[in-house]
Each structure stands twice: as C-alpha cells, then as structure tokens.
Amino acid sequence: MSAEATNPVSAADAAVTDTTVRRRGRARIDLRRLGRAALLGATAGPAPRDRLPDAISHVAEAHRAHHPEADLAVLRRAYVLAESSHRGQFRKSGEPYITHPLAVTLILAELGAETTTLTASLLHDTVEDTEVTLDQVRREFGDEVAYLVDGVTKVEKIDYGAAAEPETFRKMLVATGNDVRVMSIKLADRLHNMRTLGVMRAEKQARIAKVTRDFLIPLAERLGVQALKTELEDLVFAILHPEEYENTRALIAENSHAGDALDAVAEQVGAVLREAGIGAEVLVRPRHFVSVHRVRLKRGELRGCDFGRLLVLVAEDADCYGVLGELHTCFTPVISEFKDFIATPKFNLYQSLHTAIAAPDGAVAEILIRTHRMHTVAEAGVVALGNPYAGQEPYAGPTPLTARPALVPGPGLTPDPQPEDGERVDPTRPGWLSRLLDWQQSAPDPDTFWSSLRAHLAEDDEITVFSADGSAPGTISLPAGASCVDAAYAQHGEAAHGCLGARVNGRLAPLSTILGDGDTVQLLIAQDTVSGPSPEWLDHARTATARIAITGWLQAHPEAVAAPADAGPRPQVNVPADRRSGAVLHADLDGEPPAAVRPAGCCTPVPPDEITGFRVRGGSVTVHRAGCAAVETMRGVGREPVTVRWGDTAQCRVTLVAESFGRPHLLADLTEAIATAGAAVVAATVEPPSEQRVRHTYTLHLPDAAGLPALMRAMRDVPGVYDVNRARRRGRAEPRES
C-alpha cells in the first residue's frame, strides 16, 4: 500500500492542489514523491556492487539535484544494511518496513539534506527495531552517523514505563542541542508516519496527531522547516478537526478557478518588473488547507486572491527592495501589511519582505519578495544549511554549546552583529533551543517536563529586549507577553531568585511589568545568597524556565510562603519572600529542631527587639516583635508561642518606610544619608505620589543593629522627610493612615 493510499488528505484534495501548483509554476518543495517505484525497488533483488539499488534511485536523484558532487557509495552501504536488517518486517499498512526509512530519507533529500543526514536517516530505526547495534553503526559509518541514529532512537519502554514518551523527547532535545540534524530526521520521520496514519485506529490517530500538534509542529516552525510544518499542519487538521477540514476542502474545490485573479495580478507585476529592468520570477503560491481555514476565520467570505499569494524571487538582497519600490509606486499598497524580515530576520532564519497591493477589482493580493537563497532557507530551514561540521575533521563528537564555531552565512542570510546572542550567528544552535535545554535540567519529573515543554512550544511569537547590564548578554529573546520575571531568569538563571526590581527603559518598574519588543531592561539582583522568589512571581511568569525555577525554590523552602492567616496583605515592597534579618536566631523547642527560624515580614524584628515565635507550616518558626498585632492573632487561633532569642551576631536586615513630601533629588538625598550611616541598600521601592506625599520603602543591611536608631534619625533629618518607621504589614485591625 503506497503512502498516498493511507494519507488522510484524500487523493481528490491532492489533485486540486497539485493541478494548481503545476498550472501556476511550482514554487514549493514537493515532498510527496515516494510511492510505488520505491516500494517495487525495495522488494527487488540485490543490486550489483557497482551501482545503486533501484529502491534508492529516487533518493539519489533528489540528493544529486542539491549536491551534484555527493558520494553516493555510503548511501548504498547504508541502504544494504537497513534493507537486510529490516527484511521480514512489515508496517501495519502491509508494506515492507524498508519503505519507511526510504520515504523519510527521500523527504530529507528533497529538502537538500547532506549525505551524512541521509545516511543516518536510512539507518534511523535499525538500532531500535533490529539486531543492529549502535557500535556496529559506529564502526561502519563513523561517530557522526552513530550520534544522529542514537539521537532519534526511542528509550526502552520497559525501563521508563509511562514516562517513555516524554523521556524520549527529552533525549532527542538534548541530542538536538549538540546536533540539530537529529530533529530534522525526527520531523521527516513523523511526516511519513502521519501520511500513512490511516491504517491506525481512530483513537490512536488522534493521540499521535495531538502530540504532533503540540510538539513536532512547533519544533518544525522554530527550525524554519516550513515545508514539513505546513504538511504536518494539514494532516493534523484532517484528523483532529474533520468537519472544518471537509468544509475547507470543499471550499477550495468550489473555487478551483478563483486563482485566475492572482494569475492576472502576477502578469501585471511581471510586466512592471520587466519594464523596470529587474530580473525576477513571479509565481503564484497556493495556500495550504490550514492557511485557507485561518484566512476564512479572519476575513469571512474569501475572494479569488485570498486562496494564494504571489512569490517574487530575485537574485540579490538589493533587488528585493527594488521590487518593493516598484510595486509601491505602480500599485496601491496596503501599508498595514508591510513587514521587513530581511533587515530583521525571524528567530527561525526566515527572511522575506511581505507586502500587499490592491488588485483592480478591489481585492487585496499579498506578495512575498525574497532571493532564491532566502526561499530555500524559508522552505527547508536548518536542513538547507548543509553539514554544520564540515570543517571539523575528524569528527570528535558533537561540539559543546559553549564552544561551537559560528557559521559563515550563505547568500541571503544576514549575520547578527552581536555574536554573543547566538540566535543567528550560529543558526544550528538557536537561542530558543539553548534556553529549552537549560530549563529541562530543572524538570527531572517527566510529567513536569512534558507539560512545561508543551507550554514552552505554544509560545508562538518572540520579542527581543535589550539588557542594560554590560556584564550580561546584550539581547534577550522572550515569548510575547513575557514579564520582567521572565527576563530575570532568562538572563541570570538561578541568581534571579534574588531579583529585587527592574528598570524598564530607564524607569523603575515592578517585576510584573509586561515587556515589549525592543524594550531595554536592567534587572536589580541582590548579592546575598539567602534571597528567594515570592509566590506571586508565578502569576507573572510566562516562560517555563522561570516557572520551573520559582516552583522548585518554593518547594525547597516551604517556610518562605508560610504566613499568619489573618496577617493581611503583603507590604508593597519589591523584596523576596525570604526576608532574613541577617541576625542569628535560636528557638528553644522540645524534640526535632525547626526547619528554619526567621523574622516575620510583618514587623521585621532586629536586635535587641523583644521577640516571640510561632510554629508555622513546613515546621519552621516565624519570629515577631512582641508588640506586633500578628502575635495576638496567632494566640487567638490557638498557636502556642515558642521561646526564641537573638544570637551573638550584631548584623541585621531591616525594612524602613520613609514618609515625605515630594521634591526633586529626594531619592538621591535619602540614599546618601543611608550610605553615610553605614547601611547597604538591598531593595528600594518608591510608591506613586499621592497629594504631594511620597512613601519610600527600603530594605537595608546594617553591620550592627545598634546603629538602627541613628540611621532612622539621619533619614528623618533629610529635608522633606517627616517620618521614618519600621515596616509593618497592615492587617484588618490596622488600617492604613490617611
């Protein structure tokens, strides 16, 4: 049974699309050419040693089209090993199993993959499903091929049970971090499996389609392999949304001649460019099923030009802008549709100019302008880059993430002027992948990894913010909607636990601030090692990196989130939940020692305050000043006090609130007074002025608690300051003063 026979996209659908493509000039890479010839070749007798087996003639033809000088001998040896090891195995469709690695290899050959990738593709199931060992692959084909084969080999279900699938994905992602070709093979493997999914039970089709939708399609998008992504989207669409798919299929069939409008616009555009002396190829690019469905949801009733877009291919980058100028001069442009992805390439290598013009009948025709090289990269993504390790001989294993040479961009690829970003200088090691590998190390639990990976990959759009800290990376890539919390963990890792605040575009901003593309952010990080994140940070964390790190810290420090039930809201201070005073505290308890003894945030006791303690959740002891309102609250709910005492150290941390009248340079004068008194500012927050009054909140570290009264006097002496008090959480019985 051929792949086409079990494809959820029916033969009628393929006929509509293929006829349209042939009539208008095929601009997309055709991935549907395996079929019967490869099957017959796979079942034929052995080929003479001096020529290729007939079964891989299609692969050889496609490979030589991209790499005319390629040595095909290694492909022959790989095919012979794969065919002999899979002999006697059959797919559920009844085909000899060898047709699957052949189909996967043909997909990659059509995309322009180099010989090493194709060799590994032919062998990608041998170690998993046959008696062939990884050592045998390494001996016969080298370390490079063995690494790729091992990267796509599933983990043993007998060892991992229900966690086998997420752990297999984790294994592949880690392998992809060292060699991106691992994921290229996996994507082609899933595409062929999706094409032949019709023989499976409906529930299994749905399960595989959902995993493809949630994990493989986003990865194809991030690697820029649009040719694979679009077909995977259509196949998933047909399985998971059969009614919408059928409606879309019928709509395309009913409007099979609607593209004539685009043909007419293409002729006009070609004439304009010829008259201007610009050599260009103008093609009509039909939309795939999911694209038509999305456009219909966006625009309602579709017109002829909505079923496709024009693609203009030129030789040089400068010609792209020349074409754009002619189109905007000779036609009416739709300015809102213009996007320049040449000057600012997308994170997945995509480069193109997008514009739209008004057709004579009032319809809008969308136009893509790019060079031939850009088009190849737009379709094949990282696969079009060839072998990223061609200059490394002999192959000594995958290059570590921190020691990889930058690739020299080919024509149509614009290098990033900031090499430390890693997003475009080395496109086989994109920044999103490095970030993904970082957080997966913090998610040892398979369920956490699986759900976090799904959430991470669901982040479609990315923004770039610029760091104002010269010691950190110049740019930070984040998903749209990310906050300062996400930026802190993306830039500083676990050190972000001590983040105290941020400046966005030069202004102090809360950590909950949503960042926009192009913003400049400076993160203020505490230098101590005892600070930790607040539980509220989870409300503002968009990235899996931040959420996993925050959740892990909170689980390891349960005492940090414990607080009296009636203590009221947290004070408006941008400091971590773990507010250690810096002074040593001791608790006198019977039995086991407490998990931690720490000062309460509501009254921030410091030596030599009279203090009392209470047991809270997690086994820790929270220490309050004797006069704190929370003490009576705790007694009222039946909590027994614990005897606590100060240790020998004199240092302490305290939070002070300065009430003042607003005036210029007040913040500078206050911080100068604090520094003169010998205290260090750990965190500072200034609330918006209200009726000419301003509230400043400082968390300070004092080398000697005995200096606290003098410090408070020095702050009160600053002109405009009329009161300085210790911070106190305001409960229901303690309203804020007006």
Side-chain angles (χ1 to χ4, degrees), residues 545-564:
T545 304
R547 295 190 65 83
I548 290 176
I550 295 168
T551 301
W553 192 93
L554 294 175
Q555 290 175 346
H557 300 79
E559 72 281 356
V561 297

Side-chain angles (χ1 to χ4, degrees), residues 332-378:
T332 302
V334 182
I335 301 301
S336 61
E337 297 290 333
F338 173 68
K339 296 181 180 67
D340 187 347
F341 294 118
I342 295 179
T344 55
K346 297 177 72 172
F347 66 94
N348 61 357
L349 308 179
Y350 180 85
Q351 288 186 292
S352 186
L353 294 179
H354 289 205
T355 190
I357 59 175
D361 62 351
V364 174
E366 296 183 27
I367 302 177
L368 310 176
I369 308 168
R370 58 180 69 144
T371 65
H372 292 278
R373 171 63 176 171
M374 291 176 191
H375 179 60
T376 300
V377 174

Side-chain angles (χ1 to χ4, degrees), residues 14 17 94 108 133 161 194 268 270 327 338 354 364 514 634 693:
T17 303
L108 292 169
T133 66
M194 288 294 297
Q268 296 175 20
L327 294 180
F338 173 68
H354 289 205
V364 174
I514 302 300
M634 297 288 275
R693 293 187 296 180

Side-chain angles (χ1 to χ4, degrees), residues 279-300:
E281 185 179 0
V282 182
L283 304 171
V284 172
R285 183 181 176 89
R287 294 184 184 274
H288 62 106
F289 287 89
V290 171
S291 180
V292 171
H293 176 68
R294 289 170 179 162
V295 172
R296 182 173 62 173
L297 293 177
K298 177 181 178 182
R299 301 178 184 174

Side-chain angles (χ1 to χ4, degrees), residues 434-508:
S434 298
R435 294 192 298 275
L436 189 152
L437 293 174
D438 287 341
W439 70 251
Q440 70 85 23
Q441 295 178 0
S442 303
D445 176 62
D447 291 336
T448 301
F449 168 76
W450 201 230
S451 59
S452 299
L453 178 61
R454 180 186 293 107
H456 183 94
L457 294 176
E459 299 161 355
D460 291 330
D461 298 325
E462 285 207 359
I463 62 172
T464 299
V465 298
F466 299 92
S467 170
D469 183 357
S471 64
T475 60
I476 310 170
S477 294
L478 297 168
S483 67
C484 293
V485 172
D486 298 302
Y489 282 95
Q491 186 175 11
H492 296 286
E494 291 190 357
H497 292 330
C499 190
L500 307 172
R503 291 182 180 272
V504 178
N505 299 324
R507 293 189 172 187
L508 284 172

